[in-house]
Amino acid sequence: AQTVTQSQPEMSVQEAETVTLSCTYDTSENNYYLFWYKQPPSRQMILVIRQEAYKQQNATENRFSVNFQKAAKSFSLKISDSQLGDTAMYFCAFKVTNGGSQGNLIFGKGTKLSVKP
Amino acid sequence: DAGVTQSPTHLIKTRGQQVTLRCSPISGHKSVSWYQQVLGQGPQFIFQYYEKEERGRGNFPDRFSARQFPNYSSELNVNALLLGDSALYLCASSLASWDSSGNTIYFGEGSWLTVV
């Protein structure tokens, strides 16, 4: 079975500091994509960052970066210079590569991040 | 460009009733998926449609059904509603190509369903 585990139900960080959210996953597939989504109180699921499993280089998007360890099946998210607007639920997810015509996202249970002023 | 749009945003139904939720994908996206998110959990996959055909189904009862129209919009139907069907229903779309853009899924704001 394919699973995603987020071991930190809640985390908090001071504004302007750095925080890392953990994620591990389990799959027998070799080709897949990994994602972090942010869900603020408005409940819309917003894509933060994605990583292709075949790429060794870690993805970065402005203040957001990942530490992808394929052998360990680990995919953590680092948020630098945390801002109050980063307060949200963060979900780790993966999807088997198949061109998008098939296949679905498998999500973890989420980590609630609070950024404190 | 408009994102994924869903309607209605909120609705309240009584046990045993039926509900239809609607979704329009991002322009150019041919694949539409539906997810159920109960409070405190991550979204769970319900259905995926591509070119009007069902391409995947999650572990949901037959009370859940969906379809995709020629313009790629989609409807999710739930019959004989139970209290446990109360959730946020998310629609998502993707390009359905083989590259990273095709494998990236974008979500709408969701439809909040409350069953009383």
Side-chain angles (χ1 to χ4, degrees), chain A:
Chain A
Q2 297 170 330
T3 59
V4 177
T5 301
Q6 293 179 251
S7 59
Q8 304 151 316
E10 292 192 41
M11 293 192 72
S12 65
V13 63
Q14 291 296 129
E15 196 175 7
E17 293 189 346
T18 296
V19 64
T20 299
L21 308 183
S22 301
C23 172
T24 58
Y25 59 94
D26 189 20
T27 180
S28 58
E29 301 286 340
N30 196 44
N31 298 313
Y32 49 88
Y33 285 83
L34 293 157
F35 304 90
W36 279 96
Y37 283 90
K38 167 186 176 181
Q39 190 176 43
S42 67
R43 302 296 284 182
Q44 179 161 18
M45 199 72 73
I46 301 166
L47 177 65
V48 174
I49 198 167
R50 73 180 175 206
Q51 173 80 42
E52 294 91 332
Y54 61 87
K55 288 188 176 179
Q56 293 186 347
Q57 186 175 7
N58 289 324
T60 61
E61 286 288 343
N62 301 313
R63 297 183 295 108
F64 300 88
S65 62
V66 298
N67 182 5
F68 174 47
Q69 302 289 331
K70 190 171 184 179
K73 295 182 181 176
S74 171
F75 183 61
S76 61
L77 174 69
K78 185 172 81 171
I79 306 174
S80 304
D81 186 26
S82 297
Q83 300 175 0
L84 296 178
D86 295 334
T87 294
M89 283 291 290
Y90 285 82
F91 291 96
C92 177
F94 84 88
K95 178 182 182 296
V96 173
T97 304
N98 53 21
S101 64
Q102 287 181 277
N104 54 276
L105 285 166
I106 297 172
F107 285 88
K109 290 188 175 181
T111 295
K112 183 177 181 181
L113 177 67
S114 298
V115 180
K116 301 183 184 303

Side-chain angles (χ1 to χ4, degrees), chain B residues 37-106:
Chain B
Q37 186 180 18
V38 300
L39 206 60
Q41 299 291 322
Q44 296 288 319
F45 171 69
I46 310 175
F47 284 111
Q48 182 183 19
Y49 276 77
Y50 173 69
E51 291 289 7
K52 297 173 287 181
E53 292 186 4
E54 183 183 303
R55 294 301 184 101
R57 171 187 281 257
N59 187 24
F60 281 81
D62 291 344
R63 299 185 295 108
F64 289 76
S65 63
R67 55 179 175 169
Q68 186 177 33
F69 299 98
N71 65 354
Y72 303 110
S73 67
S74 177
E75 287 182 351
L76 175 70
N77 295 283
V78 187
N79 294 322
L81 285 166
L82 304 174
L83 296 178
D85 295 330
S86 295
L88 178 68
Y89 288 85
L90 294 165
C91 177
S93 74
S94 63
L95 272 172
S97 59
W98 284 96
D99 58 12
S100 60
S101 61
N103 280 283
T104 299
I105 296 176
Y106 298 92

